[in-house]
């Protein structure tokens, strides 16, 4: 076994540290002495086969050594410290990483499976070689699965199909992915597998004759154009055919492309030259050409694919790529490996990091997504589905899950662009935001600084987990700010009603102490909990009273005792207070508030002396007042009283996109904020799908009115909220 191993190393990776491999071989052989597999073979044969797979992947010396040692920590008395002492920290860390993954028990329960996949991605992010060893381990176990019980066979096969094959695909390791899928199919549906093998075998001779005639014609043509190439038939693996039959409901006889032609050339220029030659010989099928050279897949795959009509009217696929592209297509991330001996570690390392940007993105939303079901759904979308490739206006290629929309594209560019997205152009034409992007589209995102942010409906149409996470983050933050504001206002009102000094009760120190007692992290969390109804005012106010009674010194409390009404009267030397307004230097005049402009404390106001009805108080910008010819002769100066508690009327108008539940949400806000509504007039425009509402509300200041306006404007679909002047 050792001689075979060394021969393989010399063939696939002559720069490998053979001495290290021999030491690892001998250490593992001794550690597994006396252990046997269910097949009856020595257990040590398994790590040797794992090492062989890693050698074929042209992995570095440390990875091959770790492959030989990968079961030592789990299945023998040897410790991590002993392995570190013998082989160094790098190899010991790799073996321990694989051991942790081996201990994971994948179950059908979504929560357990999600947690195990989280561990898998953490291991991948730390050192991708851990997962490469695990894939090699799984591949050999699948090759020898026949010795397990029937239940174990199905369990391992399903786990391989659902988890390990897709990860191999995402790492670009198609050779391993195909074998894992075919072996899984063998145990999940043995009858279907053998039926397929039999049908393919019966048709193989006929198909091979067809392929050989195609190869002959192609070789002659390419030689005429002086293009050096290697041409061969590539049979599709069984699972690919099986999936097409099941998913598309096709009979085996309806599938023509289970054998394809692959053409390998020296450079990219020749790839496109070959494509031109192919299309002069056979007619291409529209819509079946894919350029993965200009737009590589996220797993590094590059190739030209075209489907043409053959000489007998049968369609067949041709794949055109360079030798280097073919190597990457089969071995994926391993073909770029930064630890491979004889290469520039720094440059290759940077290259690898770029190839694995999808992994860092996955780790970002993994941290954000706590719900296991949501995590698994996101995983199925981002890791296990097909991609669509589109362009920015500057020509940068962006990959997204199939079925993505301009919103997915916007969030892939940047969170702020997604949050401010109001529309999109595809290939220069304005499209709706739920438009399904197609390969080759050029996308331009239209943004607005006045945007109200994402709509909740976007969560129903976006495909990428990145977009969903960013939209949820926005709502979480926006709703938190809204709840904090709402909770603070509710608590302030309640404290006033209790005749407790607001400036003392709403200090950071007492609120933080109260929040901590209620298992919250601070004053803002307390306000937010009140705002969304997590805790009630009745739970908080007794604690405020208790805090002031027990913790606030008497001398500090005196500072906040309000001046008595009697002293307040003594302070006023001139002027009369009436209905919340003082008229400078004038007593005993009847005061009323104008209905045309409904002034509110905080507005700039002026008095207008009427004939027989006292002084009418207007806003200074009131249109009716501006139009009065006697304005200059009849106006007098008036001021708001600082201590007024009178409620004033104000009219606001809400303009919005019409939708179900809008009126209910508006009235709920008014109810929650304890704002009285004197009148409400709502009307819709069915043609334009808009709604307009005018509300006359009772409030006590312009600050309260502005807070209400902002809250209403934050509602989904609300375009504008403004105060009606007249």
């Amino acid at each position: 076994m050792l001689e075979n191993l060394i021969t393989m190393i010399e063939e696939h990776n002559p720069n490998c540290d053979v001495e290290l491999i021999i030491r690892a071989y001998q250490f593992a052989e001794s550690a597994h002495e006396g252990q046997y597999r269910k097949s009856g073979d020595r257990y040590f044969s398994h790590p040797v086969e794992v090492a062989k797979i890693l050698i074929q992947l042209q992995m570095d010396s440390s990875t091959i050594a770790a492959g030989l040692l990968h079961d030592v920590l789990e299945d023998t008395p040897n410790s991590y410290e002993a392995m570190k002492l013998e082989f160094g920290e790098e190899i010991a860390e790799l073996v321990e990483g694989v051991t942790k993954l081996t201990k994971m028990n994948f179950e059908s329960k979504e929560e357990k499976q999600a947690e195990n996949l989280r561990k898998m991605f953490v291991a991948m992010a730390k050192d991708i070689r851990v997962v490469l060893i695990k894939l090699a381990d799984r591949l050999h176990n699948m090759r020898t699965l026949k010795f397990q019980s029937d239940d174990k066979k199905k369990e391992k096969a399903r786990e391989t199909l659902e988890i390990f094959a897709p990860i191999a695909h995402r790492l670009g390791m198609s050779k391993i992915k195909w074998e894992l899928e075919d072996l899984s199919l063998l145990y999940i549906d043995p009858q279907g597998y053998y039926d397929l093998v039999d049908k393919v075998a019966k048709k193989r001779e006929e198909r091979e004759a067809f392929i050989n005639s195609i190869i002959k014609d192609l070789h002659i043509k390419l030689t005429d154009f002086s293009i050096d190439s290697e041409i061969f038939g590539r049979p599709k693996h069984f699972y690919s055919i099986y999936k097409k039959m099941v998913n598309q409901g096709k009979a085996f006889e309806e599938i023509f492309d289970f054998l394809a032609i692959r053409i390998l050339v020296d450079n990219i220029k020749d790839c496109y030259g070959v494509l031109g030659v192919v299309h002069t010989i056979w007619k291409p099928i529209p819509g079946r050409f894919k350029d993965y050279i200009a737009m590589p897949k996220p797993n590094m795959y590059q190739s030209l694919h075209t489907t043409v009509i053959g000489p007998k009217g049968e369609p067949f696929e041709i794949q055109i790529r360079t030798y280097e592209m073919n190597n990457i297509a089969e071995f994926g991330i391993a073909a770029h490996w930064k630890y491979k001996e004889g290469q520039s570690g720094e440059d290759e390392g940077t290259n690898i990091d770029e190839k694995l940007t999808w992994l860092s993105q996955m780790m970002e939303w993994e941290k954000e997504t706590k719900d296991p079901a949501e995590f698994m759904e996101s995983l199925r979308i981002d890791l296990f589905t097909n991609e669509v490739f589109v362009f920015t206006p500057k020509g940068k290629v962006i990959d997204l899950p199939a079925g993505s929309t301009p919103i997915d594209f916007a969030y892939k560019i940047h969170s702020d662009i997604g949050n401010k997205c109001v529309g999109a152009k595809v290939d220069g034409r304005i499209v709706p935001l739920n438009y399904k992007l197609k390969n080759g589209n050029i996308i331009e995102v239209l943004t607005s600084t006045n945007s109200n942010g994402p709509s909740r409906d976007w969560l129903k149409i976006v495909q990428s987990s990145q977009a969903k996470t960013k939209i949820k983050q926005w709502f979480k933050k926006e709703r938190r700010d809204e709840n904090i504001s709402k909770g603070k206002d509710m608590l302030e009102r309640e404290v006033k009603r209790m005749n407790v000094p607001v400036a003392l009760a709403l200090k950071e120190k007492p609120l933080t102490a109260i929040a901590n007692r209620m298992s919250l992290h601070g004053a803002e969390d307390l306000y937010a909990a009140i705002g969304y109804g997590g805790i009630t005012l009745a739970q908080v106010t007794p604690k405020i009273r208790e805090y002031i009674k027990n913790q606030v010194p008497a001398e500090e409390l005196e500072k906040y005792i309000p001046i008595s009404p009697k002293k307040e009267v003594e302070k006023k030397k001139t002027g009369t207070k009436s209905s919340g307004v003082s008229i400078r230097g004038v007593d005993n005049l009847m005061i009323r508030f104008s209905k045309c402009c409904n002034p509110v404390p905080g507005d700039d106001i002026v008095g207008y002396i009427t004939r027989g009805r006292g002084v009418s108080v207007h806003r200074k910008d009131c249109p009716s007042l501006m139009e009065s010819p006697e304005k200059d002769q009849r106006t007098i100066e008036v001021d708001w009283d600082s201590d007024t508690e009178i409620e004033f009327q104000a009219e606001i108008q809400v303009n919005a996109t019409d939708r179900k539940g809008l009126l209910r949400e508006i009235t709920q806000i008014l109810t929650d904020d304890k704002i009285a509504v004197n009148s409400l007039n709502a009307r819709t425009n069915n043609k334009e799908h808009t709604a307009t509402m005018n509300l006359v509300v009772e409030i006590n200041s312009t600050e309260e009115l502005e807070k209400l306006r902002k809250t209403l404007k934050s509602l989904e679909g609300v375009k504008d909220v403004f105060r009606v002047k007249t």
Side-chain angles (χ1 to χ4, degrees), residues 86-106:
E86 182 70 27
F87 296 100
E89 186 174 2
E90 181 186 10
I91 292 176
E93 284 287 323
L94 285 172
V95 175
E96 186 178 51
V98 178
T99 302
K100 287 178 180 176
L101 292 184
T102 304
K103 286 179 179 176
M104 298 184 334
N105 296 314
F106 289 92

Side-chain angles (χ1 to χ4, degrees), residues 148-425:
Q148 299 285 351
S149 67
D150 288 344
D151 288 344
K152 199 72 172 176
K153 287 176 189 174
K154 279 193 166 68
E155 178 193 337
K156 289 293 180 186
R158 193 168 289 109
E159 176 184 295
T160 300
L161 205 55
E162 291 177 357
I163 296 163
F164 290 97
I167 287 175
H169 168 69
R170 207 60 168 87
L171 294 174
M173 304 170 75
S174 59
K175 205 166 186 178
I176 286 182
K177 175 207 172 209
W178 292 339
E179 189 174 353
L180 287 174
E181 287 180 337
D182 282 354
L183 288 169
S184 298
L185 176 61
L186 170 61
Y187 296 109
I188 287 174
D189 184 2
Q191 184 178 341
Y193 177 85
Y194 285 117
D195 183 52
L196 196 55
V197 170
D198 184 53
K199 286 177 178 175
V200 170
K202 286 178 181 176
K203 211 169 183 182
R204 177 165 285 145
E205 189 174 329
E206 174 193 339
R207 293 298 296 174
E208 284 182 353
F210 173 75
I211 291 294
N212 288 337
S213 68
I214 295 293
I215 291 174
K216 184 179 177 182
D217 292 344
L218 261 176
H219 188 71
I220 293 170
K221 279 285 186 181
L222 294 178
T223 303
D224 290 343
F225 282 91
S226 301
I227 298 176
D228 293 329
S229 63
E230 182 182 340
I231 311 170
F232 52 90
R234 181 197 65 82
K236 280 205 170 186
H237 62 297
F238 296 121
Y239 183 71
S240 175
I241 302 170
Y242 179 87
K243 197 164 62 169
K244 186 172 283 190
M245 291 170 64
V246 171
N247 293 347
Q248 299 178 17
K250 288 186 175 182
F252 177 78
E253 291 70 26
E254 297 177 274
I255 296 174
F256 298 102
D257 60 346
F258 67 83
L259 271 176
I261 300 289
R262 182 172 295 165
I263 306 171
L264 304 183
V265 293
D266 293 323
N267 53 59
I268 292 176
K269 178 175 72 71
D270 284 348
C271 288
Y272 290 99
V274 170
L275 180 69
V277 172
V278 166
H279 285 176
T280 60
I281 305 174
W282 302 290
K283 183 174 287 187
I285 297 177
R288 294 296 301 271
F289 169 65
K290 293 169 185 171
D291 188 345
Y292 294 120
I293 294 178
M295 296 181 290
K297 290 186 176 185
N299 65 2
M300 301 163 288
Y301 179 86
Q302 286 185 289
S303 185
L304 297 177
H305 290 193
T306 184
T307 303
V308 297
I309 301 295
K312 296 181 181 179
E314 288 187 5
F316 66 96
E317 185 183 65
I318 294 180
Q319 300 172 353
I320 309 163
R321 62 183 70 154
T322 65
Y323 290 96
E324 183 185 1
M325 290 173 191
N326 192 57
N327 191 39
I328 293 169
E330 292 194 347
F331 299 112
I333 201 73
H336 286 270
W337 194 245
K338 62 181 175 182
Y339 296 103
K340 205 177 288 181
E341 288 86 353
Q343 294 185 357
S344 168
E346 186 176 341
D347 294 342
E348 190 68 13
T350 303
N351 188 31
I352 285 294
D353 291 338
E354 288 174 0
K355 302 297 181 187
L356 292 176
T357 50
W358 63 270
L359 181 57
S360 60
Q361 289 170 0
M362 195 176 297
M363 291 304 295
E364 279 182 29
W365 60 256
E366 181 272 333
K367 291 173 186 173
E368 296 291 337
T369 309
K370 302 303 179 188
D371 178 53
E374 186 181 340
F375 175 77
M376 290 302 292
E377 180 60 26
S378 299
L379 199 64
R380 278 189 279 269
I381 292 168
D382 276 22
L383 187 64
F384 303 157
T385 60
N386 294 326
E387 299 87 21
V388 61
F389 300 91
V390 295
F391 293 98
T392 68
K394 292 184 177 179
K396 183 181 178 183
V397 180
I398 302 294
D399 64 280
L400 294 163
S404 289
T405 67
I407 303 170
D408 293 281
F409 176 87
Y411 278 103
K412 185 69 178 272
I413 301 300
H414 198 278
S415 299
D416 286 343
I417 292 177
N419 290 337
K420 294 176 182 175
C421 173
V422 293
K425 287 184 179 179

Side-chain angles (χ1 to χ4, degrees), residues 50-68:
V50 169
K52 284 182 180 179
I53 294 168
L54 294 170
I55 292 168
Q56 289 170 336
L57 292 173
Q58 298 182 343
M59 293 306 299
D60 60 298
S61 308
S62 296
T63 310
I64 297 168
L68 285 164

Side-chain angles (χ1 to χ4, degrees), residues 37-39 42-43 45-50 53 70-71 74-75 98 101-102 133-148 152-153 156-157 159-160 164 179-180 183-184 186-187:
R37 308 195 84 208
K38 289 198 174 182
S39 62
R42 291 171 61 200
Y43 188 87
S45 63
H46 168 64
V48 169
E49 291 301 320
V50 169
I53 294 168
H70 79 273
D71 278 334
E74 183 184 10
D75 294 335
V98 178
L101 292 184
T102 304
I133 297 168
K134 185 63 185 175
L135 284 172
D137 170 62
R138 176 52 60 116
L139 179 56
H140 183 251
N141 280 333
M142 290 300 294
R143 288 173 178 174
T144 56
L145 195 61
K146 63 182 179 181
F147 298 104
Q148 299 285 351
K152 199 72 172 176
K153 287 176 189 174
K156 289 293 180 186
E159 176 184 295
T160 300
F164 290 97
E179 189 174 353
L180 287 174
L183 288 169
S184 298
L186 170 61
Y187 296 109

Side-chain angles (χ1 to χ4, degrees), residues 375-573:
F375 175 77
M376 290 302 292
E377 180 60 26
S378 299
L379 199 64
R380 278 189 279 269
I381 292 168
D382 276 22
L383 187 64
F384 303 157
T385 60
N386 294 326
E387 299 87 21
V388 61
F389 300 91
V390 295
F391 293 98
T392 68
K394 292 184 177 179
K396 183 181 178 183
V397 180
I398 302 294
D399 64 280
L400 294 163
S404 289
T405 67
I407 303 170
D408 293 281
F409 176 87
Y411 278 103
K412 185 69 178 272
I413 301 300
H414 198 278
S415 299
D416 286 343
I417 292 177
N419 290 337
K420 294 176 182 175
C421 173
V422 293
K425 287 184 179 179
V426 173
D427 299 333
R429 181 173 56 89
I430 291 179
V431 297
L433 288 177
N434 63 353
Y435 175 85
K436 302 292 183 187
L437 301 180
K438 299 177 179 64
N439 281 319
N441 283 155
I442 300 172
I443 318 299
E444 180 184 352
V445 179
L446 307 177
T447 61
S448 171
T449 53
N450 296 323
S451 166
N452 290 327
S455 161
R456 289 198 177 276
D457 290 336
W458 289 6
L459 290 168
K460 299 173 186 175
I461 60 176
V462 295
Q463 286 295 310
S464 63
S465 59
Q466 182 181 19
K468 287 182 180 178
T469 300
K470 296 298 181 186
I471 293 168
K472 288 176 182 176
Q473 280 179 347
W474 188 90
F475 277 110
K476 186 178 179 182
K477 180 180 180 300
E478 291 301 308
R479 179 163 286 185
R480 177 175 169 79
D481 291 346
E482 182 184 322
N483 286 332
I484 288 172
S485 176
K486 181 178 171 183
K488 187 174 183 179
D489 190 49
M490 290 170 64
L491 187 57
E492 189 174 322
R493 288 189 185 190
E494 186 64 18
V495 167
K496 282 180 181 177
R497 195 186 64 79
M498 293 160 49
N499 291 323
V500 172
V502 172
L504 188 61
L506 300 189
K507 274 187 171 182
E508 186 76 19
K509 185 178 178 182
L511 290 183
T512 301
I514 291 168
N516 291 339
R517 285 176 61 187
M518 304 182 82
S519 301
L520 300 170
H521 296 299
E524 285 198 345
D525 280 4
L526 182 67
Y527 287 139
I530 295 171
Y532 70 73
I535 58 175
T536 64
L537 290 170
Q539 291 174 281
V540 180
T541 49
K543 294 178 176 62
I544 290 177
R545 280 201 187 95
E546 181 186 342
Y547 180 88
I548 291 175
K549 180 180 177 182
N550 299 330
Q551 303 293 328
V552 180
E555 59 271 17
E556 186 178 352
L557 193 58
E558 286 177 4
K559 297 177 187 176
Y560 295 95
I561 296 175
I563 299 172
S564 68
K566 185 177 179 182
K567 289 181 179 179
E568 182 66 26
V569 171
E570 289 174 358
K571 281 180 68 181
K572 289 184 179 286
K573 300 295 182 184

